[in-house]
Amino acid sequence: MAVHRSGPLKQQNKAHKGGRHRGRGSAQRDGKGRVAVKVLSKKARKELSRVDQRHRASQLRKQKKEAVLAEKRLLGSRDGPPHQVLLVPLHERVSLGEALQLLQNTNKKVVPVSEQAGMPRFMLLCPQLKHRWFFTSAKPGDLHTVLDLAKVADTILFILDPVEGWDSTGDYCLSCLFAQGLPTYSLAIQGVGGLLPKKQADARKKLSKALEKRFPGDKLLHLDTQQDAVLLLRQLANQKQRHLAFRDRRSYLFAHAADFVPSQESSSVGTLKVSGYVRGQTFNVNRLLHIVGHGDFQIKQIDAPTDPFPLNPRVIKASKGSDVAMQIDAADGDGVAEMEEDLKVLVKADPARQESLQSEVVPDPMEGEQTWPTEEELNEAKDFLKEKTRVVKKVPKGTSSYQAEWIVDEEDGSSGEEEEDDDDAEAEDFMEEEDSEAEGSGEEYESVTPGGSVWDNQYDEKIDEEAEEQMLEKYKQERLDEMFPDEVDTPRDTAARIRFQKYRGLKSFRTSPWDPKENLPQDYARIFQFQDFSRTRKRIFKEIEEEESEGAEVGWFVTLHVCGVPASVSESFRKGAPLVMFSLLPHEQKMSVLNMVVRRHPGNLEPVKSKEEMIFHCGFRRFRASPLYSQHTAADKHKAERFLRSDVALVVTVYAPITFPPASVLLFKQMLDGKHILIATGSLLSVDPDRLVIKRLVLSGHPFKILTKMAVVRYMFFNREDVLWFKPVELRTKWGRRGHIKEPLGTHGHMKCTFDGQLKSQDTVLMNLYKRVFPKWTYDPYVPEPLPWSQDEISPELEVDME
């Protein structure tokens, strides 16, 4: 048997030399006191024993429990604001008057408040329970009223129908409230006693099934008798309060009364005296006040009148030797005013500390202009010209070296012509294509009814043919954009190098650099920018939690003197619109660029084009603006979208006042008949003017002659100069090939192109061009009141499936 023997060339590895062992003391001596970086950058954590950890956890639980109990005891108590309850009937068969009558007849003291727009408001005082309620109501069809009252309500009481629960109008109202953010809410059912005993169980079972979708795990209360009303009040008083982030960090107030005093200069502007209870945070007189739907204003002073709805009326004892005592009630307003006249003014604004109403930066037209050069600068310029040997091209400001390579010097003076406006991009011609489905969609309006010719004629008379044509054109453009995204036809009457002179090519949309400060529009000189927005937000929120500001405390009944208010605010309050006010945080009156993440509401699918005017409900604000839409990605550049798509979340970009997130966002569109429809819902993302929204254009051409890796492409351009202008831009095909232009052929725009593989005859050659786009400055804080919705006008997609 042969045995393997190693040869003379066997590899010999050196043995590992571990060296002598070093102990802990030796390592410390060699370190000479050096400390690791992690130890320096982090705070030294105190190691607690297991008993101490349990004790600390117990203390934290106890503190949180006490905070919740203190908040519950303060709301509606003698020292806190009244418990504000908003009643919203979700079905047309629900009787709001009967529900309010039951709540008033609960053997409690009822103080009526001024009735507005046919909606009664009253204060309910209960000294036995040491609680007071303030009840308001709103119909679900009046969306602005419901949303404004929900911003300041402590509890929303939804009243349901025992058979259907809610109708389409109620479901539409619920969608808006859920998107804005619901405070504490309760569900009450009305009219169960009017059903037959056999149908009550079926109705309760059917209603519970529907409630599991909207309100999972919530308990239904009854509101048919006075006993039910008493139990309902106890439930409202003991309910745990849910917090809305956008109002917990700000002071806010709901106006119980308002008085307008015109100024001496003009009767259309004056001082508005608004009375109400302070909620949220301490009211600082030096901060600005935002009236929802009307704008920002300054406060001149805060008065402290007597609480008109005291839980326990105070009794003033007479002097010694007299047996007469005087009771101060809410009705004795004159006597109270006389006795507490010296305590009337609580605090006045300090002009040195008061925040300014300036919302825009006043741009300096001379900023960036060239000054007269010095002699040193002239000598340096001469020396530079002498040493200069290479050719330098004259390019627009902000052009990169990569772009300068493919800019050709024009001798015909076309580069000096006036550039197009950004809005011209909206007029780009899309590829024409016959669409039988789009043309056939108009047939859904045709119907044949025996003997109904008169009704058909009336129906046709109500249709606006011009609006129908515009909507049909929008549907066609949206469908073409989905089928051929960003593709446009090269114009034949205008040179492509002039038509697309604002566009540039990118080697890679993801990795190619783009300076966010280059070629900014004039409107960017009017806005404010943060060096670090998130850091400023954290600092302001921390100051709110730690500082003890002076002013009106939470629960006080105060009168605010608001300066420079137009008379239309008082007029709308007299007509019945609620007056809701929020105190602004620092910088929140200044204009900037807001980015919001939204999704299309499933109940509305009509096309919404970019830069169409929309109505925004952003946190506590309501305004009108024309937004841009872009993709929601984590990259540094974001592709602009021509339409608000329904399948993905998009980012909406507008010029608007600064608002610190979190804040909910609702987008409405005003129809021709004055009604507002919900388009999209979402939340505020950031305040960032440097967010790059890049619009893409795709020019397409067709291979005419194909060799191995060479191809002659036509119909992308129509003259030789355009081919030379766009020669450095990379080409791609729909089937994944990459290439570039080698040279032009002839004078009709044909060009020889090289690719990384052989093309197919049915492939399409594409060229991507990019341009940064900016929103329009169309911000308007005034939003007109919409017409209320009715049951027949709600979209059929919003119908509730109760099966």
Side-chain angles (χ1 to χ4, degrees), residues 147-153 180 246-247 252 292 582 617 619-620:
L147 293 176
D148 288 349
L149 290 175
K151 287 181 174 71
V152 295
Q180 178 179 266
F246 72 87
R247 75 180 187 186
Y252 59 98
V292 177
F582 281 82
H617 287 246
F620 56 89

Side-chain angles (χ1 to χ4, degrees), residues 9 35 178 198 232 240 338 346 466 485 518 585-586 660 682 746:
L9 300 178
V35 185
F178 272 101
K198 294 182 179 179
L232 179 62
K240 183 180 178 181
E338 293 177 1
L346 181 64
E466 185 178 355
E518 66 172 301
L585 298 179
F660 292 104

Side-chain angles (χ1 to χ4, degrees), residues 140-144 147 151 172-173 175-177 179-180 598 601 604 606 608 612-618 621-625 627 629 644 665-671 674-681 783-784 786 789:
D142 192 358
L143 277 180
H144 276 358
L147 293 176
K151 287 181 174 71
Y172 187 60
C173 176
S175 300
C176 298
L177 287 173
Q180 178 179 266
V598 300
H601 186 257
N604 183 276
E606 78 172 44
V608 177
E612 283 189 25
E613 186 180 74
M614 307 291 288
I615 297 171
F616 288 78
H617 287 246
C618 180
R621 290 188 184 272
R622 184 167 70 238
F623 57 88
R624 292 184 292 176
Y629 306 122
L644 183 60
V665 174
L666 284 80
L667 267 68
F668 289 88
K669 183 179 179 181
Q670 185 169 359
M671 308 302 292
K675 296 182 177 61
H676 295 175
I677 58 173
L678 182 63
I679 298 295
T681 59
V783 178
W789 283 97

Side-chain angles (χ1 to χ4, degrees), residues 214-489:
R214 280 282 191 183
F215 308 97
D218 289 330
K219 184 180 179 181
L220 261 179
L221 303 174
H222 293 268
L223 190 58
D224 292 327
T225 62
Q226 292 186 5
Q227 186 178 3
D228 294 338
V230 173
L231 293 176
L232 179 62
L233 289 178
R234 290 178 179 267
Q235 169 70 15
L236 297 179
N238 297 324
Q239 221 172 3
K240 183 180 178 181
Q241 293 298 308
R242 300 175 63 181
H243 295 271
L244 295 180
F246 72 87
R247 75 180 187 186
D248 283 346
R249 295 186 176 95
R250 300 171 177 87
S251 309
Y252 59 98
L253 181 141
F254 176 76
H256 288 259
D259 183 23
F260 181 75
V261 180
S263 63
Q264 298 178 357
E265 293 81 7
S266 174
S267 59
S268 60
V269 179
T271 300
L272 185 67
K273 298 179 180 179
V274 186
S275 299
Y277 291 92
V278 178
R279 301 171 184 270
Q281 299 287 336
T282 302
F283 221 113
N284 192 343
V285 69
N286 293 319
R287 287 188 177 171
L288 298 179
L289 183 72
H290 175 76
I291 302 178
V292 177
H294 298 283
D296 304 335
F297 306 94
Q298 286 182 332
I299 306 174
K300 182 166 58 177
Q301 71 179 37
I302 300 179
D303 298 342
T306 304
D307 192 344
F309 311 106
L311 187 59
N312 295 311
R314 293 188 302 167
V315 175
I316 298 179
K317 296 182 180 180
S319 59
K320 295 182 179 180
S322 176
D323 298 333
V324 181
M326 182 167 47
Q327 179 176 349
I328 300 176
D329 203 353
D332 301 334
D334 298 336
V336 172
E338 293 177 1
M339 286 180 293
E340 298 194 358
E341 188 174 1
D342 55 338
L343 301 176
K344 190 74 174 176
V345 178
L346 181 64
V347 62
K348 289 187 176 181
D350 184 5
R353 300 172 54 191
Q354 194 173 27
E355 294 188 9
S356 172
L357 281 172
Q358 181 184 2
S359 61
E360 301 177 15
V361 179
V362 180
D364 185 6
M366 299 301 295
E367 185 178 1
E369 292 292 327
Q370 178 66 43
T371 59
W372 189 260
T374 61
E375 293 183 2
E376 296 180 359
E377 292 175 345
L378 291 174
N379 294 332
E380 290 179 2
K382 290 180 181 178
D383 296 339
F384 178 74
L385 290 175
K386 290 179 181 178
E387 297 175 359
K388 182 179 176 183
T389 55
R390 59 189 181 88
V391 179
V392 177
K393 296 180 181 179
K394 187 177 181 181
V395 296
K397 183 180 179 181
T399 307
S400 63
S401 59
Y402 170 74
Q403 294 169 327
E405 292 180 1
W406 56 273
I407 291 183
V408 181
D409 293 333
E410 291 287 341
E411 297 180 358
D412 54 1
S414 62
S415 60
E417 294 182 2
E418 186 177 355
E419 293 184 350
E420 304 170 83
D421 190 72
D422 286 342
D423 299 335
D424 294 345
E426 296 180 3
E428 293 162 357
D429 298 328
F430 289 83
M431 297 177 61
E432 296 182 358
E433 180 184 12
E434 293 183 2
D435 189 2
S436 58
E437 296 180 7
E439 295 176 356
S441 61
E443 297 178 359
E444 61 183 9
Y445 294 104
E446 300 179 3
S447 58
V448 179
T449 305
S453 58
V454 178
W455 184 86
D456 289 341
N457 294 335
Q458 294 177 353
Y459 182 79
D460 292 338
E461 291 175 358
K462 296 179 181 179
I463 291 180
D464 188 354
E465 295 185 0
E466 185 178 355
E468 287 287 315
E469 290 294 329
Q470 292 178 358
M471 187 58 64
L472 180 61
E473 186 64 26
K474 274 188 181 181
Y475 275 111
K476 287 183 177 180
Q477 291 182 5
E478 185 182 34
R479 184 172 178 83
L480 285 174
D481 189 59
E482 291 178 358
M483 296 173 61
F484 308 99
D486 304 323
E487 288 193 33
V488 298
D489 289 336

Side-chain angles (χ1 to χ4, degrees), residues 129-240:
L129 295 177
K130 298 181 180 180
H131 208 87
R132 55 179 175 173
W133 291 270
F134 176 54
F135 285 94
T136 60
S137 57
K139 294 182 179 179
D142 192 358
L143 277 180
H144 276 358
T145 302
V146 174
L147 293 176
D148 288 349
L149 290 175
K151 287 181 174 71
V152 295
D154 298 311
T155 302
I156 300 181
L157 179 61
F158 296 113
I159 306 178
L160 310 177
D161 181 72
V163 179
E164 298 182 4
W166 53 81
D167 53 15
S168 58
T169 308
D171 184 65
Y172 187 60
C173 176
L174 284 176
S175 300
C176 298
L177 287 173
F178 272 101
Q180 178 179 266
L182 269 182
T184 307
Y185 64 89
S186 294
L187 306 175
I189 186 172
Q190 186 188 67
V192 178
L195 299 177
L196 296 176
K198 294 182 179 179
K199 293 186 177 181
Q200 288 183 7
D202 295 339
R204 191 177 294 108
K205 183 178 179 181
K206 191 176 182 180
L207 188 58
S208 300
K209 186 178 179 181
L211 287 174
E212 281 297 322
K213 299 179 181 178
R214 280 282 191 183
F215 308 97
D218 289 330
K219 184 180 179 181
L220 261 179
L221 303 174
H222 293 268
L223 190 58
D224 292 327
T225 62
Q226 292 186 5
Q227 186 178 3
D228 294 338
V230 173
L231 293 176
L232 179 62
L233 289 178
R234 290 178 179 267
Q235 169 70 15
L236 297 179
N238 297 324
Q239 221 172 3
K240 183 180 178 181

Side-chain angles (χ1 to χ4, degrees), residues 528-542:
F528 290 85
Q529 302 186 35
F530 291 96
Q531 188 173 4
D532 190 344
F533 176 74
S534 59
R535 183 178 179 182
T536 305
R537 172 177 170 270
K538 289 180 181 178
R539 178 181 58 80
I540 291 176
F541 286 176
K542 189 176 181 180

